[in-house]
Amino acid sequence: MLNTFVAVLRRDLLLAWRGRADVLVTLAFFVIVVCLFPFGVGAEPNQLRAIAPGVLWVAVLLSCLLSMHRLFAQDHADGTLEQLLLSSEPAVVWVGAKVLAFWLSTGLPVVVVAPGLALLLDLEQGALPVLVVSLLLGTPILALLGAVGAALTLGVRGGGMLLALLVLPLFVPVLIFGAGAVEAELSGTGAVAHLLLLGGGCAGALALAPWACAASLRISME
Amino acid sequence: MQWDSLSAFWDMGGAAAFVWGSYGVTFALVALEFFLVRRRRLDTVRRLLRWRRAVGKEKKERAA
Amino acid sequence: MTAAERAPRASLFRFAAPQTFYPLAGRLAPWFAAAALVLTLAGMWLGFFVAPTDATQGEVYRVIFIHVPAAWMSMFIYLVMAFWSAVGLVMNTRLSFVMSQALAPTGAMFCFVALWTGALWGRPTWGAYWVWDARLTSQLLLLFLYLGFIALTRAIEDPRRADRAGAMIALVGAVNVPIIYFSVKWWNTLHQGASVSLTKAPSMASTMLAGMLVMAFAAWAYTLAVTLWRVRPMILERERHTEWVGAVLEAEGARAGGGR
């Protein structure tokens, strides 16, 4: 079981490495979305500082959504997914490995870049660790929930927009607690409660989403 | 009875637009939904009847 | 279906078979529609002629007689949808999927009505059509969940896959609804404080409550009627290869005047 997990994880990471241009596009999208806001709302530092947590989190959410459809599309196209579903290994194992590989290759780079962008928006440096921790706890939830949506919309026409419609409402709690953590840190009330709730959400998503995702894949591939 | 006259009733204490706007849109939507459901039913029956006759004819032709 | 064929005496499961449910739905729906009409008239009469003017809000509060029942109904319908989805996934009964898909448009309609009336009620009472209040915001997100469900089931062409995918997203949504509500509430208390108090007057006149409850029952009856009516053509569509649908279609065609 662990062997399958590691094998799928390594394979997907290798594929992600070979197609690293895709990851770079996601990152560039993230950077550009954040950089658009000063043009839209004005470059007044006070204002930027006030909206920075929300802007960063919304940009993370959108860039995650943008890359989500890639999660199963390739394997669906070349028949790998069918083979995996036919194999005797429990689907939860390799689904978990795929989501983890997806998060490592698209979620993690975004988390790494985010503090740099936070400086562009003049976010206080004291809040940067909280931002990073909130992203580290929140982006896995996005990946896990998005995986369910990606599995359900696999091969459906207009799948990208549909995926957005399906998962964005579900992302709202993550956005609230993620951006809320940074804001709470800035306002001095402490971000612990927010981060604990995000952690709880992450644990819950880890426990439930792989099963839901495996079941959804089975539904889509029948 | 709360209303002195019909015009007082329609005026709703000055909030006519809000109250009647709410009720009007609600009942318009209900009527629309009712109409759509009815039309869907008629459409389905008509389409399936046509489909059934086409299939029946095909079968007969194949048998002949 | 097969279960019903095997055990026709298990009376409750008998109606899980499409060919018994189809005529039953046709017979019941008009009664529910009539009940909805009568209850609506009674509720409106209570609401407009019996319930007194509200001491603080004046006459505007009369929106409550559709706003609250619509909001209740939109939440309740989502739960019922999730319930039928779970039944369908576990017991593999096709009729349950049809039920949940037939409920969705009505649920979305009530959701929109709740938002619309909320906005029109909000303008004179809080001075704004929209405030990012916890209840309004979660209602809005519920509307998005409905739209997602409807869009997904319509976008997938294979009915079997559409059924199951829709059921899955309905269940995922149902698990998330409490989380969404809780998080929105938390967010709301942090951002707005108690500046906008939405708590209803503690002493609601009993006639107001009566009017609201009667309207809620009207919404129930309406939902049942429309859902049953919507289920019927869906059943015909899915069972079109069977004998009994053929007979139903011929009868309908004859009734529609020879039919073409």
Side-chain angles (χ1 to χ4, degrees), chain A residues 104-188:
Chain A
L104 286 173
S105 59
T106 34
L108 204 54
V110 168
V111 179
V112 170
V113 174
L117 287 174
L119 293 180
L120 283 187
L121 296 177
D122 202 28
L123 193 72
E124 251 176 61
Q125 291 186 21
L128 289 185
V130 173
L131 175 69
V132 171
V133 173
S134 75
L135 285 172
L136 279 177
L137 289 172
T139 45
I141 309 180
L142 301 183
L144 284 162
L145 283 177
V148 179
L152 287 174
T153 54
L154 201 58
V156 174
R157 77 191 132 79
M161 291 311 279
L162 195 57
L163 178 59
L165 185 59
L166 288 183
V167 297
L168 281 181
L170 307 180
F171 282 178
V172 168
V174 183
L175 179 64
I176 288 174
F177 294 124
V182 184
E183 270 164 30
E185 179 67 20
L186 288 174
S187 67

Side-chain angles (χ1 to χ4, degrees), chain C residues 38-44 46 69 209-219:
Chain C
V38 171
L39 284 168
T40 307
L41 289 176
M44 297 264 290
L46 276 172
L209 192 65
M212 220 163 77
L213 286 177
V214 170
M215 287 301 266
F217 284 125

Side-chain angles (χ1 to χ4, degrees), chain A residues 26-197:
Chain A
T26 309
L27 270 183
F29 175 82
F30 175 56
V31 173
I32 287 174
V33 167
V34 172
C35 292
L36 281 179
F37 276 87
F39 297 111
V41 300
E44 172 63 35
N46 281 329
Q47 196 171 10
L48 286 182
R49 208 174 298 137
I51 62 168
V55 167
L56 286 168
W57 257 100
V58 169
V60 166
L61 217 133
L62 290 177
S63 49
C64 186
L65 190 70
L66 200 70
S67 47
M68 211 63 240
H69 69 96
R70 276 208 316 267
L71 181 50
F72 298 115
Q74 183 71 40
D75 288 348
H76 178 53
D78 64 15
T80 313
L81 210 54
E82 218 159 330
Q83 295 300 319
L84 280 170
L85 276 170
L86 288 174
S87 73
S88 58
E89 293 294 335
V92 183
V93 174
W94 55 263
V95 165
K98 287 188 85 65
V99 177
L100 178 61
F102 174 78
W103 180 74
L104 286 173
S105 59
T106 34
L108 204 54
V110 168
V111 179
V112 170
V113 174
L117 287 174
L119 293 180
L120 283 187
L121 296 177
D122 202 28
L123 193 72
E124 251 176 61
Q125 291 186 21
L128 289 185
V130 173
L131 175 69
V132 171
V133 173
S134 75
L135 285 172
L136 279 177
L137 289 172
T139 45
I141 309 180
L142 301 183
L144 284 162
L145 283 177
V148 179
L152 287 174
T153 54
L154 201 58
V156 174
R157 77 191 132 79
M161 291 311 279
L162 195 57
L163 178 59
L165 185 59
L166 288 183
V167 297
L168 281 181
L170 307 180
F171 282 178
V172 168
V174 183
L175 179 64
I176 288 174
F177 294 124
V182 184
E183 270 164 30
E185 179 67 20
L186 288 174
S187 67
T189 44
V192 180
H194 288 85
L195 293 178
L196 282 176
L197 282 166

Side-chain angles (χ1 to χ4, degrees), chain C residues 11 33 42 48 75 103 117 167 171 182 219 228:
Chain C
S11 57
F48 280 103
M75 284 179 257
L103 279 164
T117 53
L171 283 181
F182 166 70
L228 290 176

Side-chain angles (χ1 to χ4, degrees), chain C residues 187-249:
Chain C
W187 163 79
N188 181 248
T189 47
L190 284 185
H191 284 251
Q192 285 208 321
S195 60
V196 178
S197 167
L198 282 169
T199 41
K200 301 260 150 48
S203 57
M204 196 187 213
S206 59
T207 43
M208 290 183 192
L209 192 65
M212 220 163 77
L213 286 177
V214 170
M215 287 301 266
F217 284 125
W220 268 64
Y222 169 77
T223 307
L224 280 165
V226 169
T227 307
L228 290 176
W229 267 324
R230 200 180 273 127
V231 159
R232 272 160 59 91
M234 289 169 88
I235 290 179
L236 288 185
E237 185 96 38
R238 281 151 189 256
E239 304 280 313
R240 60 175 180 271
H241 296 283
T242 58
E243 287 286 320
W244 73 268
V245 169
V248 166
L249 285 175

